[in-house]
Amino acid sequence: FFLSLKLEKKTKGKLQKQICQVVLDHFEKQYAAELGDAWSSVRDVLTSPWCWQHALLLNRFSLCPGLESSLAEQGYRPAFPAALPYLPAAFRCYSSTAPGRFPAQKHQPGKLKGYYLLNAASLLPVLALEVKDGEDVLDLCAAPGGKSVAILQCACPGHFRCNEYDGLRSRWLEQTIESFIPDPLINLIMVSKLDGRQIGDLQPEFYDKVLVDAPCSNDRSWLFSADPQQAVLRLMQRKELSSLQFQLLRSAVKALRPGGSLVYSTCTLSKAENSDVISLILNSCRNVVPVDISEMARGVAQEFTFLSGTQQHELLVLPEKGRPWGPMYVAKLKKVSST
């Protein structure tokens, strides 16, 4: 079970050839303007998969004796400091500054996995959401399921809907939940395939917490698009994503109870899909206010590199060598009234 790290065996040259030039050219133009001097180092990391680090989120429902000591021996350490404003005792994640990937566990029906391999930055939206036992929670765009699993490492919601509109991704979500969550708890989880833009109308003011990990232009995967024609099509459709993201957010606001909060996240650097979408929702929904997450950001400042100049209700993790990888944008809002 405990194997040594599997480091990437592909050469730098081989991986470099896989970069989709049309996407890189597009990013070069956009992000040089949006990120300024930071883009050069960010680009170097994005185009170098051999330097990406994968963290491990331990599964509290399937404890593996000796796993944590084995991780420590291989240079892994707890990824989040205990001083964070919200860090449940059962929430344990390990990361390493050395590039590489811990061996993945295969899906076996009826057997729970002991850990989830992920980008440690992807856990920040979950920690920002601050889910507590008994709360009604909606993960609006839940596939592949990593954040849903992470939420259940933090608390036991009273009602938990994991929604994924795409059929193929929904099956992936169901398998993830089956791999990490025991049967008694699975029975409390509602996996649905609804259009996320309609959930607010279908279940108005039903949830205490909503996570909107929105479909976005995934910078890392897009850079390595195997099909150049698909890449061109993606870039053409990219400008439409912010409209979808806004509609999903508006639905999430409707689904929230007054006093409830939502977290919006993406894995893109794009301002149009991040802060611009949040500004639009704040300007169009008078019953929503920003929530300060700067304390959480300060708490993990030794772990992650953030873009400077963002508002207190948002953060953007920038990829940097030797640190848990981004990009990951996080923003938190609160619903203050019904109208």
Side-chain angles (χ1 to χ4, degrees), residues 278-327:
I278 293 298
S279 294
L280 188 58
I281 204 78
L282 286 171
N283 289 333
S284 61
C285 297
R286 295 185 177 181
N287 60 340
V288 174
V289 296
V291 177
D292 189 345
I293 57 171
S294 59
E295 186 180 353
M296 182 186 78
R298 285 192 297 271
V300 296
Q302 298 300 315
E303 310 288 324
F304 301 96
T305 298
F306 297 117
L307 178 68
S308 60
T310 57
Q311 301 294 310
Q312 289 186 321
H313 62 273
E314 62 180 351
L315 58 84
L316 177 61
V317 177
L318 298 178
E320 182 175 305
K321 288 182 181 178
R323 293 199 168 203
W325 39 296

Side-chain angles (χ1 to χ4, degrees), residues 26-86:
H26 179 89
F27 285 179
E28 193 80 50
K29 183 177 180 180
Q30 178 181 352
Y31 293 150
E34 292 183 5
L35 303 179
D37 294 340
W39 166 239
S40 178
S41 59
V42 167
R43 179 191 56 211
D44 290 346
V45 178
L46 283 177
T47 55
S48 309
W50 55 88
C51 75
W52 301 354
Q53 292 101 354
H54 291 77
L56 287 84
L57 176 65
L58 304 195
N59 185 10
R60 67 173 171 140
F61 305 111
S62 179
L63 301 177
C64 302
L67 175 57
E68 289 180 88
S69 59
S70 176
L71 288 170
E73 289 171 5
Q74 297 183 44
Y76 281 78
R77 57 185 177 79
F80 297 98
L84 281 180
Y86 174 81

Side-chain angles (χ1 to χ4, degrees), residues 99-161:
R101 184 184 177 113
F102 205 75
Q105 295 174 305
K106 292 183 179 179
H107 173 70
Q108 295 179 286
K111 186 176 181 181
L112 297 182
K113 293 183 179 181
Y115 55 86
Y116 192 102
L117 292 174
L118 43 60
N119 160 10
S122 69
L123 295 172
L124 292 175
V126 174
L127 294 177
L129 196 59
E130 300 189 28
V131 176
K132 297 177 176 60
D133 287 344
E135 290 183 324
D136 295 324
V137 181
L138 168 63
D139 189 348
L140 193 67
C141 313
K147 292 181 179 66
S148 295
V149 167
I151 286 171
L152 290 166
Q153 303 305 311
C154 295
C156 183
H159 177 92
F160 190 21
R161 178 183 289 272

Side-chain angles (χ1 to χ4, degrees), residues 56-321:
L56 287 84
L57 176 65
L58 304 195
N59 185 10
R60 67 173 171 140
F61 305 111
S62 179
L63 301 177
C64 302
L67 175 57
E68 289 180 88
S69 59
S70 176
L71 288 170
E73 289 171 5
Q74 297 183 44
Y76 281 78
R77 57 185 177 79
F80 297 98
L84 281 180
Y86 174 81
L87 190 72
F91 189 89
R92 290 172 299 158
C93 180
Y94 284 81
S95 65
S96 170
T97 55
R101 184 184 177 113
F102 205 75
Q105 295 174 305
K106 292 183 179 179
H107 173 70
Q108 295 179 286
K111 186 176 181 181
L112 297 182
K113 293 183 179 181
Y115 55 86
Y116 192 102
L117 292 174
L118 43 60
N119 160 10
S122 69
L123 295 172
L124 292 175
V126 174
L127 294 177
L129 196 59
E130 300 189 28
V131 176
K132 297 177 176 60
D133 287 344
E135 290 183 324
D136 295 324
V137 181
L138 168 63
D139 189 348
L140 193 67
C141 313
K147 292 181 179 66
S148 295
V149 167
I151 286 171
L152 290 166
Q153 303 305 311
C154 295
C156 183
H159 177 92
F160 190 21
R161 178 183 289 272
C162 301
N163 184 72
E164 178 55 51
Y165 184 53
D166 181 87
L168 185 62
R169 287 174 61 81
S170 181
R171 288 194 290 275
W172 189 4
L173 168 64
E174 289 174 342
Q175 186 180 90
T176 299
I177 291 173
E178 181 187 334
S179 292
F180 287 91
I181 310 304
D183 286 339
L185 199 53
I186 282 182
N187 295 333
L188 301 177
I189 301 170
M190 168 67 74
V191 177
S192 60
K193 303 176 185 177
L194 301 171
D195 185 333
R197 294 169 292 186
Q198 299 173 356
I199 287 183
D201 290 324
L202 294 171
Q203 293 187 300
E205 300 192 350
F206 187 87
Y207 295 98
D208 300 298
K209 302 283 172 68
V210 179
L211 174 63
V212 185
D213 186 43
C216 67
S217 49
N218 185 320
D219 294 351
R220 285 178 183 268
S221 66
W222 281 27
L223 268 173
F224 293 88
S225 301
D227 183 350
Q229 289 183 321
Q230 182 191 47
V232 171
L233 182 62
R234 279 175 167 173
L235 292 174
M236 289 174 62
Q237 296 174 334
R238 191 180 196 200
K239 59 181 176 291
E240 300 170 11
L241 280 169
S242 58
S243 175
L244 170 62
Q245 291 155 350
F246 172 75
Q247 292 173 59
L248 289 169
L249 261 179
R250 191 166 55 183
S251 176
V253 171
K254 289 180 181 178
L256 268 180
R257 293 180 178 129
S261 56
L262 71 83
V263 168
Y264 173 77
S265 61
T266 74
C267 52
T268 180
L269 296 160
S270 175
K271 182 175 178 288
E273 298 176 52
N274 294 338
S275 55
D276 286 357
V277 173
I278 293 298
S279 294
L280 188 58
I281 204 78
L282 286 171
N283 289 333
S284 61
C285 297
R286 295 185 177 181
N287 60 340
V288 174
V289 296
V291 177
D292 189 345
I293 57 171
S294 59
E295 186 180 353
M296 182 186 78
R298 285 192 297 271
V300 296
Q302 298 300 315
E303 310 288 324
F304 301 96
T305 298
F306 297 117
L307 178 68
S308 60
T310 57
Q311 301 294 310
Q312 289 186 321
H313 62 273
E314 62 180 351
L315 58 84
L316 177 61
V317 177
L318 298 178
E320 182 175 305
K321 288 182 181 178

